[in-house]
Amino acid sequence: MTNIAVIGTGAIGATIGAWLIADPALNVTLCARTSFERLRVQTPDGTLESCPRLLTDPDDAAPVDWAIVTTKTYDTPGAARWLDRLVRDGTRVAILQNGVEHLARFPQLAPDSIVPVVVDIPAERHTPGDVVQRRTGSMTVPTGQTGEAFAALFGASPLELRLSEDWRTAAWQKLAINCAGVVSALTLKPAGIAHDPDIAELMRGLVRECVAVGRAEGAALADDVEERVVEGYRTSPADSINSIHADRLAGRETEVDARNGVIVRLGARHGIDAPLNRMATALIRAS
Ligand SMILES: NC(=O)c1ccc[n+]([C@@H]2O[C@H](COP(=O)([O-])OP(=O)(O)OC[C@H]3O[C@@H](n4cnc5c(N)ncnc54)[C@H](OP(=O)(O)O)[C@@H]3O)[C@@H](O)[C@H]2O)c1
């Protein structure tokens, strides 16, 4: 029996947790901040319901084979308190968060025990334990033993697990999409705002900076990324709200550092200025 702890029970933690719980070969514990009794996830393949094993105090946690981190990037210190109890020699840790700094966020862990995961599973939480998974979606992990072992955990689920020889590029491609989404968080207007030519130009500028820094970091980003990002926002439902926009609407902290600030910080290492991402980061922080 493989013992798995899922840290965080929001949109992504509840969704992947529900799929793992549905596999009787896996022994799953949810590590939550907010308790609930029933887990109910509406998926494109039907509703998954269970009464999960759930802990709310890291002191009650014991070492596991796999720890899966699904908190927002700004809640990494809270996730680290769980990892202190869950990780022993041989534990592997998967980081399901946005951004490109999955390993850097967890310096206390051995890098070869970590699987960084690019998550493309649109999901939203209505109340604790009640989540909607909008599309089957996929997760992208690096090729190699640990990435393959992580993918195997989801063998009984319909989730698509992609093994990438060039995970870094996959992560920067996602960052290119995410960094442009800050315009919605700033204007509090959903994706349809990309039809405004001035806003589209601003999005291209944000992405251009991301591409320059990503290439300096070794990502193989194509020349048409900025156009594809704008087109992606224009062809998504005009009323769709990205997560940084949703966080602002809810008065929560945001992942702006992981989505925009990172472009400024990593750019500085390479002598690349990123003034649009710097301004967006400062405005979100000040708002
Ligand atoms: N949702 C999506 O569609 C989506 C898609 C792709 C990537 N992502 C990325 O995936 C990551 C997770 O996003 P999400 O949408 O699942 O966020 P979310 O719905 O806000 O869930 C985060 C969860 O972490 C929990 N948490 C925070 N601190 C904790 C602690 N100390 N101990 C235990 N749990 C703790 C929160 O607890 P509470 O229940 O108390 O709030 C919440 O359940 C983010 O980096 C996001 O950008 C999300």
Side-chain angles (χ1 to χ4, degrees), residues 179-205:
C179 78
V182 77
V183 299
S184 286
L186 285 166
T187 58
L188 299 180
K189 296 205 167 138
I193 196 171
H195 290 285
D196 178 319
D198 293 336
I199 294 290
E201 197 46 35
L202 185 51
M203 294 171 97
R204 289 187 193 96

Side-chain angles (χ1 to χ4, degrees), residues 7-13 31-34 70-75 78-79 81-82 96-98 119-125 174 243 252 255 259:
I7 305 170
T9 51
I12 296 301
C31 301
R33 184 170 62 182
T34 305
T70 71
T71 64
K72 288 267 173 62
T73 54
Y74 50 78
D75 282 325
R81 284 195 286 283
W82 285 100
L96 280 62
Q97 290 179 326
N98 270 334
V119 182
D120 180 18
I121 303 173
E124 66 211 34
R125 173 173 57 170
K174 176 90 191 280
S243 74
R252 289 187 292 257
E255 294 191 307
R259 298 167 62 120

Side-chain angles (χ1 to χ4, degrees), residues 140-160:
T140 304
V141 295
T143 48
Q145 227 178 14
T146 321
E148 282 159 28
F150 177 76
L153 298 176
F154 293 90
S157 85
L159 299 178
E160 184 189 350

Side-chain angles (χ1 to χ4, degrees), residues 66 68 93-97 102-103 114-120 138-154 160-171:
W66 277 97
I68 303 181
V93 181
I95 312 292
L96 280 62
Q97 290 179 326
H102 299 59
L103 270 66
I114 304 181
V115 188
V117 186
V118 175
V119 182
D120 180 18
S138 67
M139 290 189 273
T140 304
V141 295
T143 48
Q145 227 178 14
T146 321
E148 282 159 28
F150 177 76
L153 298 176
F154 293 90
E160 184 189 350
L161 270 293
R162 296 181 182 165
L163 292 160
S164 173
E165 295 280 355
D166 185 4
W167 184 87
R168 187 193 304 264
T169 295

